[in-house]
Amino acid sequence: MIRDLPSLEFQSVSRIFSGGARALNDVSFSIPAGGLTAVIGPSGCGKTTLLRMAAGLDRATTGSVKFIGQDGNVHSRASENLSVCFQDARLLPWRNVTDNVALPLELAGVSRDERSARAKQVIEAAGLSSAQARLPAQLSGGMRMRVALARTLVTSPDVLLLDEPCSAVDEFTRIQLDEEIRRVWQVSGATTMLITHSVSEAVWLADQIVVMSMGSIHEIRKVALPRNARDRASSAFLLEVETVMRSLARAAGVLVA
Amino acid sequence: MMSVMKFFRLMVAPVTAVAFMLVAWQIAVMMSGVSAYLLPSPWAIAQTMWASSDRLIGGAIQTAMAATIGFVVASVIGILGGSMIAAIPFLRRSLYPLATILQMVPLVAVAPLLVIWLGFGLPTAIAAAAVVAVFPVLAATIDGQVSVDPGLRELFLLHGASGWTRWRKLDLPASIPAIVTGLRIAAGLAVIGAIVGEFVSGYGGNAPLGIVIMTAMREARTDLVFAAIALSAVVGFSLFGAVSCLGWFLVHRWHASSVNSLEQSK
Ligand SMILES: Nc1ncnc2c1ncn2[C@@H]1O[C@H](COP(=O)(O)OP(=O)(O)OP(=O)(O)O)[C@@H](O)[C@H]1O
Ligand SMILES: [Mg+2]
């Protein structure tokens, strides 16, 4: 099968919930094929709503969310090989790590042998081999998130949607998980949307950052730093973080010089 | 797993209480000189149990059979019916409130109806057991399945799982703890149902405990009534114990009790 990585396009997307709450207002941006775009913004600004639309779990009131192939054709959501990692790990408590990771393959009707082989592979890559027979209750919170990440990878997705995969873990684990996300993205080569609260995480991982505020786009920013030159302690990195930080502060309505 | 030691430690208090009660009962009967017709002594009952052991054990087997079959029928109907009611919004709106109300009806009162429909004998006892046992299972199944984590449902939706697949791989396993609770209640009720069924559908041959009790009552054999009651308690406890063991086996690894297992497994 020839891989046709799509780009993900949000075109004038608005979403008004039944109660009349306007969660998104005319949002347009696109994630290039194989790119990693981070979406940041204050709590409640509509980030999850955007991701759910891309996942097909919610619909735009007006506007559209499209996957567009290299040839310019619009793909249907159903034909897209897409994986979502939610904010919470969402593991089945009665299944061990291996069987949780293999679930998407199982639901896709992949044979037992093949799915255990592929699950084994991503579990090993995630450094979870020693925990593969454990149940979710026997894992730490950070490990559970790594299992969830491994599960999103097991189908070799073309599109990856990650909703604050690190929000439930401490700063130390976050740095480890960031490394994991980077690996996941590089291995899969997928078109990736990463929602995060952390500016430093966004600058560390993304090639484009979308700053949102109250349902609208405040700024779309390309991350200038070359990927292999990103060093969390370097002044160039910290400068970039500061710039995005200012943009975010303005988006949140906090006055900055 | 609960260790044998811990089990014995847990049993010390209740066993002592029962022993104390029996002794007090024995002394009270001996001191007051109350007639054996009104209240036989525990010792007299024990002697009767020994003397009539064939009849009592035969009856207990009959009753256990009716209760167990009734319980199994109730479990299957309750789990399948409850799953359907939980899964189909129209049924949930129409039948769920009905099921809750029906649960309030004293179902043992329908036993005479069962005799009309099924005649005298084992089928009526089985049906009576099933009728009283079905609602706790039904209600527990519905409750368990409507409260499955919506996040997990979304995960299945995302991967295009069919309703049937989702039921097998998510709804059913997720609701097992709730269902087991319903089954445990149903196990106790099934024995009550079976005995009430036997009361009204009296049949000869290998008389079940319900018949033993009725016959003994007519013959003024209060000791035998007590002995049969004791055996029906044994039947009820056995069924309840078997269901509890099964439930423990199914969920102990991941549910509630396993919350602390991180420490234990390290
Ligand atoms: N199902 C819903 N019905 C009504 N309003 C909703 C619904 N889902 C979200 N909203 C509203 O839409 C807005 C955006 O929600 P969303 O979950 O997208 O925010 P978010 O940016 O992901 O926030 P956070 O960073 O806290 O996760 C919020 O004001 C929220 O209250
Ligand atoms: Mg969110």
Side-chain angles (χ1 to χ4, degrees):
Chain A
M1 194 179 80
I2 301 157
R3 200 155 176 227
D4 182 9
L5 271 184
S7 63
L8 172 53
E9 318 248 340
F10 294 89
Q11 298 171 345
S12 310
V13 172
S14 296
R15 177 69 169 100
I16 301 167
F17 284 107
S18 47
R22 181 179 280 268
L24 291 172
N25 192 12
D26 195 24
V27 169
S28 300
F29 68 93
S30 93
I31 304 178
L36 194 161
T37 292
V39 178
I40 60 175
S43 192
C45 70
K47 306 181 293 291
T48 298
T49 309
L50 267 182
L51 178 133
R52 292 175 58 81
M53 282 173 186
L57 295 169
D58 195 6
R59 279 170 165 275
T61 309
T62 59
S64 59
V65 181
K66 288 186 182 138
F67 300 98
I68 299 177
Q70 316 264 292
D71 50 9
N73 287 339
V74 175
H75 296 184
S76 74
R77 155 69 185 89
S79 72
E80 208 53 75
N81 184 357
L82 170 150
S83 277
V84 181
C85 185
F86 296 95
Q87 190 162 340
D88 45 339
R90 302 199 181 177
L91 305 176
L92 303 182
W94 54 89
R95 287 189 173 214
N96 66 21
V97 168
T98 305
D99 292 343
N100 262 297
V101 168
L103 179 74
L105 298 175
E106 194 178 321
L107 296 179
V110 174
S111 77
R112 183 179 294 273
D113 287 349
E114 192 183 340
R115 60 182 197 248
S116 70
R118 281 163 69 180
K120 192 164 184 263
Q121 207 179 338
V122 290
I123 286 168
E124 242 161 50
L128 289 164
S129 295
S130 61
Q132 61 184 350
R134 289 207 216 157
L135 293 168
Q138 302 167 323
L139 303 173
S140 71
M143 282 167 99
R144 262 177 243 157
M145 261 350 275
R146 264 155 61 204
V147 174
L149 275 170
R151 182 180 60 194
T152 61
L153 265 196
V154 79
T155 47
S156 317
D158 293 333
V159 178
L160 255 183
L161 305 173
L162 310 172
D163 191 355
E164 301 189 37
C166 302
S167 66
V169 301
D170 60 88
E171 192 63 27
F172 185 76
T173 313
R174 177 192 287 264
I175 290 173
Q176 288 180 326
L177 274 181
D178 281 354
E179 206 43 65
E180 184 73 14
I181 292 168
R182 179 137 95 154
R183 192 186 60 76
V184 161
W185 174 70
Q186 272 165 348
V187 169
S188 65
T191 306
T192 301
M193 172 173 171
L194 168 72
I195 294 176
T196 176
H197 271 136
S198 159
V199 173
S200 111
E201 180 172 286
V203 174
W204 175 249
L205 291 169
D207 39 45
Q208 171 178 267
I209 297 177
V210 174
V211 182
M212 289 186 62
S213 133
M214 299 201 304
S216 310
I217 291 187
H218 176 76
E219 188 188 348
I220 299 178
R221 195 182 159 78
K222 302 269 179 244
V223 180
L225 293 173
R227 203 166 278 283
N228 51 15
R230 287 182 199 178
D231 171 353
R232 280 192 130 117
S234 75
S235 52
F237 183 83
L238 293 173
L239 195 67
E240 184 71 20
V241 168
E242 195 186 325
T243 316
V244 179
M245 211 69 115
R246 279 172 191 281
S247 172
L248 191 61
R250 274 191 296 273
V254 182
L255 287 176
V256 281
Chain B
M1 189 184 160
M2 188 156 65
S3 71
V4 180
M5 277 301 290
K6 198 171 160 199
F7 179 75
F8 277 119
R9 233 178 299 139
L10 271 177
M11 293 308 286
V12 168
V15 167
T16 314
V18 168
F20 187 78
M21 201 193 74
L22 289 177
V23 171
W25 177 357
Q26 181 75 36
I27 292 171
V29 168
M30 280 166 27
M31 303 286 278
S32 67
V34 63
S35 83
Y37 171 67
L38 282 181
L39 187 66
S41 72
W43 179 242
I45 296 168
Q47 282 175 316
T48 304
M49 280 171 112
W50 180 251
S52 312
S53 60
D54 283 358
R55 192 175 168 193
L56 285 168
I57 290 171
I61 290 171
Q62 288 289 307
T63 300
M65 202 162 77
T68 307
I69 298 174
F71 170 78
V72 170
V73 169
S75 306
V76 172
I77 294 176
I79 293 172
L80 293 183
S83 300
M84 260 157 64
I85 293 174
I88 303 169
F90 171 73
L91 293 183
R92 196 159 73 216
R93 268 176 284 134
S94 55
L95 292 186
Y96 190 22
L98 202 65
T100 321
I101 293 168
L102 269 181
Q103 214 181 346
M104 318 277 183
V105 176
L107 283 165
V108 290
V110 307
L113 268 182
L114 298 175
V115 178
I116 295 173
W117 292 331
L118 299 171
F120 293 93
L122 187 62
T124 295
I126 291 173
V131 163
V132 293
V134 75
F135 282 100
V137 184
L138 193 77
T141 306
I142 297 172
D143 279 344
Q145 302 203 353
V146 297
S147 51
V148 171
D149 180 356
L152 293 178
R153 288 177 162 247
E154 223 166 57
L155 187 70
F156 277 69
L157 183 70
L158 198 64
H159 290 287
S162 67
W164 165 239
T165 304
R166 199 192 67 197
W167 182 76
R168 269 190 316 142
K169 294 184 192 284
L170 176 64
D171 296 352
L172 185 63
S175 55
I176 281 178
I179 292 176
V180 167
T181 306
L183 289 179
R184 281 160 50 138
I185 298 170
L189 288 178
V191 178
I192 298 176
I195 288 179
V196 171
E198 289 160 4
F199 280 173
V200 295
S201 76
Y203 53 103
N206 266 337
L209 290 177
I211 303 299
V212 174
I213 291 171
M214 294 304 263
T215 316
M217 179 196 74
R218 287 192 204 101
E219 293 169 355
R221 291 279 314 275
T222 314
D223 54 336
L224 192 54
V225 172
F226 269 104
I229 290 173
L231 259 102
S232 42
V234 170
V235 170
F237 190 78
S238 309
L239 195 53
F240 178 85
V243 172
S244 299
C245 285
L246 178 75
W248 179 85
F249 177 76
L250 287 175
V251 303
H252 76 279
R253 288 171 64 242
W254 61 272
H255 191 249
S257 56
S258 63
V259 168
N260 296 323
S261 51
L262 182 61
E263 285 72 32
Q264 288 161 17
S265 66
K266 268 184 179 166

